[in-house]
């Protein structure tokens, strides 16, 4: 592969959403988002992210806060530090990880390359102010010229850019103004119809008091808390400060994606899909697992401008494919030289301008499936197809998880690993039987072979926020279901991964064999054929549309597609042109 | 480039140090390091790191602690967490950076892929015990089987491997044993010649009391502190605990490298040098800076098994080359599409098994130097050659910095940027003049064009520890010199980067023009030719040997070598075979 290949197919052009659709609806007290029509791009043919995307995000948050009863307030959000990743330097050294912006801050400001920033948004007018560090000659020598505030304003399309040293004064000015206006309103109110006025403000009298919203809340995937922004003197506003509302509101806004966000995620998916294809073509016995990771990273960076992976690549071959978190600390994709009988399970996705993709391909490293490999592959493929075929607004994700389990169990019956116990009536037409599948699921047998959730929300975070937001179904405690990162009923605009898998994990198989509820369905001899098999997972990123869904991922999936690409066949088979 | 290229030249084979040399000297109370002859390797043709390297490191530390007066003690060291890099998850999310072991812990145990571990070493016998996490079925499902303790012991060559849950009990047992032995000794001592016995123990009576050494100390590069290991119940040993001695001792041990460490650093340098050559061949106008980073990373990972860079790549082209910390947050190697008149300054180095390399190449992206580019390149090359030619034990690093400044100033005189002020006598034979150079240096003119230090210690950390350890020369406050990360007098075994540079940084040039001490040497018109030039830096990693030094880096450096490689010439010109 050459370092530049301008001849490769480009991603689909941005879809046909009109500018009208990109514009959020506005209430009478909020105003359209600002934005200068500027774009972020990594140059060459990489995707041009319109900064209006983030103006739209801000407007959505302001609108949602107003709908929630906020009247006059400042939102203060703090970005990530220069140390990168939020964790600062490595241990005690001066080694800084590569900077990646904090996700909530990025959602609001799209300031992917500005560290140590703060941002403020006023309610109800939605005015946005970014505060960037200012430095002297000493820092300028090593970090380059201090950003020019007006340039940053133009680049990001915010209303105003100031230095971080202005933040305290800015908040003081804004809060004073709001307090004065509130008091004026109150004075006027005493002469008029108080009840009517209070009602307009969204309820109780306290709501008319200006507030200072900062971001704090629990990430239900990590168990970590988002840290609220802090600046010198913030304690002056303790009685006006609200640490909770903003997090809930923003998490909910982030769950459903705008058309502009979808265009960006279509790009990250395209670029990662094409990198998977590149790896699929290069993969062969004798390579080390990490060489597949290296090629994927190189392809998405050099052709797609993606400096960050969405998560650590999982390149698990042969038996390693049953280690779900392979690739991490103890198993750094270096455990195996690929053997000709191995299945590869490659879970890799790049991000661009902080928006993620998360894609898994599985295939035989030698380019030919054995019968058993094909059987397992096809049952996972059937599970994925079944779910994607049913996805639309109103569908419960828990039901989809069960549907996927059902398809996998059917496949395992077909290949003889599972069977109908003696004495249970069974449809003999070579087929499955809903009642039997229901019994197997009731016995938690699905979770033996697919011990993870069917998929998760994805956006700026790979495991995106809002999975178990208040007001949504809570986490089940059943095996399998309890691993789901959301139990939501899907709605238009959600992007979710569909990643069924089938694995043969010894401790889980052994536990199943010692559990009579499960053992009676298992053909032990046949199961033993699959010890050491590893596993198969297929993962696509799917956008829920008004009347169904769109699969953003474009990898070869059908058996013949995979084999054809591994032999050098072109992909995609048709150029994915979108007419706008 | 193909993903696997088995035909490429391999690094020099390990040098001719005999096994005898690898063995540390031992005192009567310490014992030879343990080790099973196992190796760490990333497979294929990647370097095999002998685990005896770390046994040797442990023995050095124990020996050094004994020389410092320790008699009976336990050293407890804590490794890095699974969150990677010491910083844990990114912000509030569950995104974990790729794990990299903590450096001090790695120095002692070489446990590069074991997170959340502890280690203990007993003094004086040097017995090593590693404590690894144990997990249940739930974790085993996602992380793979729990490590088998005996396997880990064999792999790493430590004396014993236990679970982390055993750490408290282990320390309790060891400390009790040591206390009992000390009391026994004391009792016996009362009957004999106390003074003599105390003297043998290294001085004051308190030294015979068992101690618990943990690691805490200031990293003089980052200003951060190493955090001491902690376990439940450690407060029981507060009166025996020593937080300071171990850090000082280990930092000093890490400064001089063993032959086995040098072999490993020779490999990281070889692999990074060859990746620089690959980038040099691929580099051409029209590429983006980050594509050079991507290619370097891919090459070192796929051919060398290097998952981590030693630091964030700096790929600075054209004017960006004068931003010393280019590549970081605000300047993520995406600022420029390479233009044909650009110089590229590429500072990139990979690490292997946590040992770093740190290499900078500079060259014209179109493969031809302009006269001015060549002039600046050659003055930096002269500075590097001058320093490397003089390096040997006993040389002061501060003197080397001044020597490099002198060569750069001479070069700037030759190309007309600097001149001899009117009224100052000057050797007209087209040459330089030591007195004039001395005056320029006295006026801090060197730091205008090379505002960073000449180089730094390198090892497990890129900016390795011990730069300003107590007992070594302290940091100067003079411009230029104050940026040095060490002011040591060099000794055998030190590895240090030699990285002179010459830059045209506007704020520094402007400051110089407004400082009469400096301005009088500057030809303002000629200087202005170089505004926007960027800069040149050449960086090699050099090992101080008993009678001189060995350059571990193997990049094309002479002008004709660089141009030849850019035209496709082979490199290295001779296969770097070492006869053992």
């Amino acid at each position: 592969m050459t370092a530049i290949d301008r001849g490769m197919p480009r991603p689909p052009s941005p879809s046909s959403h009109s500018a009208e659709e990109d514009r959020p609806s506005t209430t009478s007290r909020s105003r359209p988002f600002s934005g200068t029509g500027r774009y972020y791009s990594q140059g060459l043919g990489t995707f041009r992210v319109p900064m209006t995307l983030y103006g739209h995000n801000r407007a959505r948050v302001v609108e949602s806060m107003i709908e929630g009863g906020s009247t006059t307030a400042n939102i203060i959000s703090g970005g990530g530090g220069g140390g990168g990743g939020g964790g600062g330097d490595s241990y005690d050294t001066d080694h800084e990880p590569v900077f990646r912006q904090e996700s909530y801050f990025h959602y609001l400001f799209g300031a992917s390359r500005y560290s140590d920033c703060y941002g403020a948004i006023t309610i109800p007018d939605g005015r946005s102010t970014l505060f960037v560090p200012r430095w002297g000659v000493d820092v300028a020598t090593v970090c380059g010229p201090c950003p020019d505030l007006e340039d940053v304003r133009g680049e990001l399309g915010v209303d105003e850019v100031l230095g971080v040293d202005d933040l305290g004064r800015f908040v003081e000015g804004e809060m004073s103004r709001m307090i004065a206006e509130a008091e004026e309103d109150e004075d006027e109110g005493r002469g008029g119809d108080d009840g009517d006025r209070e009602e307009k403000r969204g309820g109780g009298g306290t709501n008319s008091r200006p507030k200072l919203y900062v971001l704090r809340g629990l990430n239900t995937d990590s168990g970590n808390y988002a840290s609220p922004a802090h600046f010198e003197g913030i304690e002056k506003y303790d009685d006006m400060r609200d640490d909770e509302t903003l997090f809930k509101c923003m998490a909910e806004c982030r769950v459903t994606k705008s058309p502009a966000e979808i265009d960006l995620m279509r790009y990250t998916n395209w670029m990662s899909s094409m990198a998977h294809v590149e790896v699929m073509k290069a993969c062969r016995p004798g390579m080390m697992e990490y060489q597949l990771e290296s090629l994927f990273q190189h392809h998405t960076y050099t052709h797609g401008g993606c400096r960050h992976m969405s998560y650590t690549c999982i390149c698990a071959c042969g038996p390693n494919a049953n280690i779900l978190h392979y690739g991490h600390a103890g198993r750094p994709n270096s455990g195996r030289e690929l053997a000709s009988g191995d299945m590869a399970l490659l879970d890799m996705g790049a991000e661009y301008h902080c928006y993620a993709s998360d894609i898994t391909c599985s295939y035989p490293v030698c380019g030919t499936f054995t019968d058993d490999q094909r059987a397992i592959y096809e049952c996972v493929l059937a599970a994925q197809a079944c779910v994607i075929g049913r996805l639309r607004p109103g569908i419960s994700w828990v039901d989809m998880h069960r549907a996927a389990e059902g398809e996998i169990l059917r496949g395992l019956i077909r290949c003889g690993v599972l069977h109908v116990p003696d004495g249970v009536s069974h449809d003999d037409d070579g087929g499955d039987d809903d009642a039997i599948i229901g019994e197997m699921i009731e016995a938690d047998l699905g979770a033996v072979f697919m011990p993870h959730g069917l998929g998760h929300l994805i956006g700026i975070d790979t495991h995106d926020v809002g999975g178990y937001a208040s007001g949504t179904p809570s986490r089940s405690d059943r095996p399998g279901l309890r691993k789901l990162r959301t139990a939501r009923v899907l709605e238009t605009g959600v992007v979710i991964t569909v990643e069924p898998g089938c694995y043969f994990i010894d401790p889980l198989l052994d536990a199943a064999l010692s559990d009579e509820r499960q053992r009676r369905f298992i053909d032990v001899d046949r199961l033993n054929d699959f010890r050491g098999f590893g596993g198969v997972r297929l993962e696509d990123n799917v956008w829920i549309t008004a009347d169904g869904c769109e699969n953003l991922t474009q990898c070869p999936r059908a058996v013949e597609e995979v084999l054809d690409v591994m032999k050098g066949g072109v992909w995609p088979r048709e150029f994915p042109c979108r007419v706008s």
Side-chain angles (χ1 to χ4, degrees), chain A:
Chain A
M1 197 179 60
T2 56
I4 307 185
D5 178 358
R6 290 174 190 264
M8 66 174 300
R10 302 309 310 168
S13 55
S15 61
S16 56
H17 312 293
S18 69
E20 199 52 44
E21 282 177 294
D22 272 352
R23 213 168 288 152
S25 66
T26 54
T27 71
S28 56
R29 296 199 68 174
S30 72
R31 55 174 207 158
F33 60 92
S34 56
T36 61
R38 296 292 179 94
Y39 292 85
Y40 166 90
S41 156
Q42 285 278 70
L44 303 183
T46 58
F47 189 71
R48 285 156 48 88
V49 184
M51 283 301 120
T52 50
L53 186 161
Y54 302 97
H56 184 155
N57 288 350
R58 289 193 293 275
R60 276 191 77 181
V61 168
V62 168
E63 192 177 334
S64 168
M65 292 291 286
I66 291 171
E67 278 168 11
S70 294
T71 48
T72 57
N74 275 288
I75 291 171
I76 306 291
S77 173
D89 296 331
S90 292
Y91 310 109
D92 66 311
T93 73
D94 62 349
H95 178 92
E96 286 185 1
V98 177
F99 175 71
R100 200 274 195 181
Q101 188 56 281
E102 193 276 329
S103 298
Y104 283 96
F105 189 78
H106 185 78
Y107 182 81
L108 290 175
F109 294 97
S112 63
R113 64 191 192 92
Y114 292 96
S115 70
D116 304 294
C117 291
Y118 291 86
I121 303 171
T122 52
I123 296 174
D125 66 347
R127 187 171 173 79
S128 55
T129 310
L130 187 71
F131 301 86
V132 298
R134 288 204 259 227
W135 48 68
V137 170
D138 260 14
V139 177
T141 306
V142 292
C143 295
C146 199
D148 176 275
L149 302 186
E150 194 52 32
D151 288 350
V152 178
R153 196 180 77 84
E155 177 193 333
L156 298 178
V158 292
D159 292 308
E160 190 174 19
V161 177
L162 299 172
V164 284
D165 44 322
D166 286 323
L167 176 59
R169 196 161 46 238
F170 174 91
V171 173
E172 182 156 8
E174 281 295 301
M175 296 308 289
S176 304
R177 177 180 66 74
M178 288 177 178
I179 291 168
E181 285 175 11
E183 283 169 357
E184 207 174 295
D185 278 10
E186 259 176 47
D187 288 346
E188 283 176 25
R190 285 199 197 91
D193 181 345
D194 282 4
D196 185 47
R197 181 176 295 267
E198 285 303 330
E199 212 158 307
K200 271 191 201 151
R201 291 273 169 84
T206 52
N207 271 347
S208 65
R209 293 282 170 193
K211 284 198 168 162
L212 187 70
Y213 291 107
V214 292
L215 196 76
R216 184 167 190 281
L218 177 70
N219 184 305
T220 54
D221 287 303
S222 64
N224 298 327
Y225 275 86
S227 309
H230 183 81
F231 59 88
E232 208 181 302
I234 194 172
E235 63 284 352
K236 278 192 283 191
Y237 312 104
D238 277 353
D239 59 335
M240 290 177 262
R241 172 177 168 148
D242 178 328
D243 281 29
E244 286 176 19
T245 306
L246 182 62
F247 184 88
K248 286 180 193 159
C249 163
M250 280 192 70
E252 200 56 37
C253 286
R254 284 176 57 185
V255 169
T256 54
K257 272 67 178 175
S258 71
E261 287 180 287
I262 294 298
D263 278 341
L264 175 46
M265 294 186 73
R266 205 178 267 124
Y267 175 75
T268 57
N269 265 273
W270 166 264
M271 197 43 67
S272 297
S273 296
M274 292 308 105
H276 268 288
V277 167
E278 196 71 22
V279 172
M280 210 174 266
K281 287 176 189 292
C283 178
R284 58 181 182 277
M287 293 178 78
M288 295 296 291
E289 294 165 326
Y290 61 78
Q291 293 184 308
L292 307 175
E293 175 183 17
S294 182
L295 181 57
F296 182 89
Q297 292 179 161
H298 180 46
H299 188 96
T300 52
Y301 197 8
T302 206
H303 294 296
C306 303
R307 195 179 206 194
H308 293 272
M309 294 298 105
S310 306
Y311 52 94
T312 304
C313 292
I314 297 173
C315 299
C317 295
N320 297 332
N322 72 13
I323 302 174
L324 303 181
H325 279 194
Y326 198 75
H328 279 263
R331 317 276 173 172
N333 292 332
S334 61
R336 192 167 179 89
E337 190 174 315
L338 277 55
S340 68
D342 286 358
M343 284 289 287
L345 185 162
L346 307 179
D347 187 345
M348 311 188 283
E351 71 171 37
Y352 187 83
H353 214 236
C354 298
Y355 275 80
S357 65
D358 184 355
I359 298 174
T360 309
C361 294
S362 297
Y363 43 87
V365 301
C366 67
T368 322
F369 285 96
T370 65
D371 288 346
D372 281 350
Q373 287 171 344
R374 185 173 176 136
I376 301 304
Y377 184 89
E378 289 193 326
C379 83
V380 176
L381 186 62
Q384 198 191 39
C386 158
V387 169
I388 294 177
R390 291 175 60 185
L391 284 179
R392 56 177 172 74
I395 281 277
S396 152
W397 192 238
V398 173
D399 292 348
M400 292 299 96
H401 181 89
R402 287 306 198 196
E405 283 186 334
E407 286 303 318
I408 287 163
L409 294 170
R410 277 186 185 89
L412 290 171
I413 293 173
R414 275 194 300 275
C415 72
V417 170
L418 300 181
H419 59 197
V420 182
D422 294 339
V424 176
S425 75
H426 181 53
D427 174 0
D428 277 341
D429 298 349
D432 37 334
D433 181 328
D434 286 349
I436 283 293
I437 297 297
E439 278 188 52
M440 287 176 169
I441 287 177
E442 198 49 43
D444 298 319
L445 203 59
V448 172
F449 297 97
M450 183 171 85
H452 59 68
L454 173 64
H456 50 83
L457 303 174
I458 179 168
I460 298 184
D461 292 328
T462 305
H463 296 152
D464 214 21
V465 294
Y468 287 105
S470 66
T472 67
S474 58
R475 195 187 286 268
S476 164
D477 57 4
R478 288 290 290 271
L481 293 186
R482 69 175 171 234
K483 297 290 186 185
L484 279 175
R485 294 177 188 275
T486 187
R488 279 176 178 259
V489 171
L490 301 181
E491 56 189 305
T492 308
V494 161
V495 181
I496 197 157
T497 67
V498 181
E499 48 175 314
C502 180
Y503 315 85
F504 298 88
I505 301 171
D506 282 330
L508 298 186
L509 300 180
D510 295 338
L513 291 178
S514 64
D515 177 344
E516 195 35 52
R517 288 183 317 138
Q518 297 178 338
R519 185 194 173 95
R520 66 195 192 106
F521 295 109
I522 299 173
D523 181 322
V524 181
D525 285 343
R526 184 67 179 126
L527 176 68
N528 285 338
D529 291 344
F530 288 88
R531 298 257 185 186
F533 175 97
V536 166
R537 178 163 69 252
L538 298 173
E539 178 178 22
D540 288 349
N541 303 173
V542 177
W543 172 41
I544 309 301
T545 56
D547 54 359
C549 70
E550 177 188 322
N551 191 340
L552 305 177
T553 306
Q554 303 196 35
C555 287
R557 289 294 182 217
V559 164
E560 62 277 15
E561 289 173 346
V562 170
L563 296 183
D564 184 52
V565 165
M566 293 189 79
K567 285 192 196 96
V570 295
W571 187 265
R573 286 180 176 176
E574 290 174 30
F575 186 75
C577 228
R578 298 180 68 92
V579 182
S580 53

